[in-house]
Amino acid sequence: MAIQFDPANLTAALVGENGLTPAELKEGGKAAQAALAGFHKSVDDGTYGFPHLPFDLKNQKGILEYAASVKGSYDTVCVVGIGGSALGAWALDCGLRGPHPVQKPFSTSNPRLVILDNVDPSFVMGALASMNPKRTLVNVIAKSGATAETVSTFLIVRDWLTQAVGKKAKQRIVAVTSEHRGDLKVLATNEGYRMFYLPENVGGRFSVLSSVGLVPAALCGFDIRKICKGAAAITTAAWKNDLAANTALRAALHHWLIWTKRNKPIQVAFPYSNQLWGMAFWFRQLWAESLGKKTNRAGEVVHVGQTPIAALGTTDQHSQVQLYMEGPNDKAFTFWTVKKFDNPGRIPKTKTGLEAMDYLPGQTLAKLLDAEQRATAAALTETGRPNSTFTLDRVDAEHLGAFMQLLEFETAFAGELLNINAFDQEGVELGKKFTFALMGRKGFDEYSGRFKSYEQKRAKS
Ligand code: PA5
């Protein structure tokens, strides 16, 4: 398993005044060491727990035993969850089985994954109509046990299942939630669902290697031990002081410097692989929710954040690259490339006699994809647009687990470098409270009042 990080195109030698100087990198090295020490201390004292997840063999064993006990009884895994309770499972599914709609046909030996994360009624009701309740295993996931989207959809799914299989519904539902709190825990206990827990010190967007990501992954038949093996190797490297051996810290340092010293408020995550497309959406949440903050640890108002954008190579070369090349120079680009594809997609050797086609026969799609990525990187570099590249040897369970853990460590280190708390999400609370008030949940009268006054202001405007 190998993941390389190439930051050369972030340096002044390649992108001129938009790049980092050797002096800045040297100086930044000290800040990186402090960030590593600071984060290590918080993990050692139990404040943050995601680095321990790949080593939790007991949890992995329990999940595998459960998956083996239900294997063959379903052709669809229906995850009900949102945000950190859904995106990791989607990223793994996309990585290991390819993006919809090009997956192999689903069956009891290759169950598909349907993720109900949005409450768009046409999506949820359409998904239910496409699933057979007698061949569906429902996995409801909510750390808080109270997220309105998850709870409301789950109540519909639970009813749909009960109508079809009666009392046996409880055998077709597995819940992932907090062990000691939340109404989902209460309901699951009352109704006798199988339950798995995630540690309290692991936040939603850092939870893919807890039961949150591993239960749906195991139910889909993915090798969760290999996912965790890759993540464990990255974790060991992420605690090293030596920047050359610590890819997560080196990436965090370069990305933090280019963002803050060269004013790049946008980062484009640019996978050249459809299999990594789900991962790009998972990363978007990780980077945005973790690093977009109003205050720093000293309580000063900083309004810090770097907007992550997901772009797909080569598709978005024909959609976004015009902007990236000639629009505002406010972006840092991070290519995600893959060295080896299972099938390189050979172009038939037969020639057509046509100039625009006859240089291609005998070559491969993998070679073209690689050429297009290197060409885009060169073009961006030539116009002074800083970019870097992560390269995965291949897209398999071990590399996916490793890459996710690497990006989580990078995010945690970036939080330290910015002197912010990367693990809270106060900014999403107000909208949630207004929603509860609008939907009539008890205890939210104050927010009903605030919402009314907002509407009155709008009416007057
Ligand atoms: O990262 C986070 O903590 C959030 O994005 C949560 O994952 C998301 O809000 C869903 O929360 P819950 O798992 O409680 O339903």
Side-chain angles (χ1 to χ4, degrees):
M1 189 279 298
I3 300 176
Q4 279 97 30
F5 176 63
D6 177 352
N9 294 350
L10 294 174
T11 61
L14 273 297
V15 285
E17 62 183 17
N18 283 290
L20 302 169
T21 64
E24 284 170 326
L25 284 162
K26 193 168 172 217
E27 188 59 28
K30 291 180 212 151
Q33 297 302 335
L36 173 64
F39 183 58
H40 208 160
K41 189 169 166 291
S42 306
V43 172
D44 282 349
D45 70 18
T47 309
Y48 307 125
F50 83 81
H52 298 307
L53 296 174
F55 304 98
D56 189 350
L57 302 182
K58 194 173 159 218
N59 190 45
Q60 291 158 34
K61 186 167 175 270
I63 291 171
L64 285 170
E65 282 168 2
Y66 168 68
S69 75
V70 289
K71 195 174 174 197
S73 67
Y74 56 92
D75 64 15
T76 300
V77 178
C78 175
V79 162
V80 185
I82 195 166
S85 291
L87 286 163
W90 182 47
L92 288 171
D93 186 42
C94 195
L96 293 172
R97 293 198 290 201
H100 297 261
V102 296
Q103 295 191 344
K104 285 184 196 151
F106 65 97
S107 65
T108 49
S109 53
N110 181 41
R112 68 173 167 161
L113 179 64
V114 172
I115 298 180
L116 301 184
D117 57 352
N118 198 6
V119 285
D120 175 339
S122 61
F123 167 61
V124 173
M125 300 331 257
L128 288 187
S130 83
M131 301 187 290
N132 179 343
K134 294 188 175 150
R135 288 206 301 271
T136 299
L137 198 76
V138 175
N139 181 193
V140 55
I141 309 176
K143 181 176 178 186
S144 60
T147 303
E149 294 91 330
T150 302
V151 171
S152 55
T153 303
F154 178 62
L155 293 176
I156 293 172
V157 173
R158 168 175 162 264
D159 185 58
W160 167 82
L161 204 55
T162 307
Q163 301 240 0
V165 301
K167 285 187 181 148
K168 285 190 181 151
K170 68 174 188 189
Q171 294 158 17
R172 315 292 298 167
I173 299 174
V174 50
V176 177
T177 190
S178 296
E179 189 169 3
H180 303 295
R181 67 185 171 102
D183 282 353
L184 178 58
K185 168 78 197 288
V186 177
L187 183 78
T189 308
N190 291 346
E191 303 207 343
Y193 307 154
R194 181 63 200 263
M195 271 184 274
F196 289 91
Y197 306 113
L198 74 160
E200 253 332 297
N201 62 359
V202 173
R205 57 195 174 274
F206 291 88
S207 68
V208 62
L209 300 172
S210 74
S211 306
V212 168
L214 296 184
V215 169
L219 290 173
C220 288
F222 306 154
D223 190 338
I224 64 169
R225 286 200 199 279
K226 283 214 173 117
I227 294 170
C228 291
K229 187 178 168 207
I234 287 292
T235 305
T236 307
W239 294 134
K240 291 189 177 160
N241 281 307
D242 175 11
L243 270 173
N246 188 338
T247 310
L249 189 60
R250 201 163 74 256
L253 169 62
H254 281 86
H255 288 151
W256 168 68
L257 283 175
I258 203 78
W259 162 9
T260 57
K261 301 269 183 207
R262 292 296 176 277
N263 189 25
K264 304 295 172 208
I266 298 171
Q267 182 183 169
V268 179
F270 210 160
Y272 271 65
S273 157
N274 283 67
Q275 281 173 278
L276 294 179
W277 190 222
M279 180 87 87
F281 283 84
W282 169 84
F283 169 75
R284 225 166 49 124
Q285 183 210 8
L286 180 69
W287 199 253
E289 217 166 69
S290 303
L291 304 180
K293 296 291 147 80
K294 179 177 168 183
T295 53
N296 64 15
R297 283 203 167 116
E300 295 154 346
V301 175
V302 286
H303 289 298
V304 73
Q306 188 185 42
T307 304
I309 288 183
L312 178 65
T314 65
T315 308
D316 283 325
Q317 286 179 208
H318 302 267
S319 158
Q320 302 293 300
V321 166
Q322 168 63 30
L323 167 75
Y324 297 167
M325 287 287 289
E326 295 187 358
N329 196 342
D330 56 358
K331 301 170 195 67
F333 301 89
T334 310
F335 293 106
W336 298 357
T337 66
V338 178
K339 248 188 203 159
K340 205 165 176 335
F341 289 85
D342 289 342
N343 181 344
R346 194 156 292 286
I347 302 167
K349 283 200 171 132
T350 330
K351 299 222 171 180
T352 61
L354 299 168
E355 187 277 325
M357 298 178 188
D358 275 358
Y359 64 99
L360 294 168
Q363 306 209 59
T364 65
L365 295 181
K367 187 178 172 195
L368 177 60
L369 187 68
D370 177 59
E372 298 239 22
Q373 185 275 321
R374 289 190 297 130
T376 305
L380 287 170
T381 304
E382 217 179 82
T383 48
R385 313 279 161 147
N387 60 90
S388 57
T389 304
F390 284 115
T391 302
L392 279 63
D393 267 11
R394 54 196 319 141
V395 183
D396 60 14
E398 216 172 315
H399 281 88
L400 287 174
F403 196 35
M404 289 175 122
Q405 190 78 339
L406 194 161
L407 293 172
E408 288 183 22
F409 264 103
E410 182 190 348
T411 305
F413 292 145
E416 292 291 321
L417 288 161
L418 293 161
N419 191 28
I420 56 158
N421 180 356
F423 297 90
D424 64 4
Q425 56 279 325
E426 289 304 308
V428 297
E429 291 308 314
L430 186 56
K432 272 193 202 170
K433 285 170 181 159
F434 282 146
T435 304
F436 287 143
L438 287 171
M439 293 298 284
R441 186 172 170 182
K442 260 193 198 158
F444 290 85
D445 295 350
E446 179 200 333
Y447 296 92
S448 302
R450 279 169 66 174
F451 196 84
K452 260 188 208 134
S453 75
Y454 151 79
E455 287 205 309
Q456 278 160 3
K457 269 192 211 157
R458 275 172 56 83
K460 277 189 210 149
S461 69

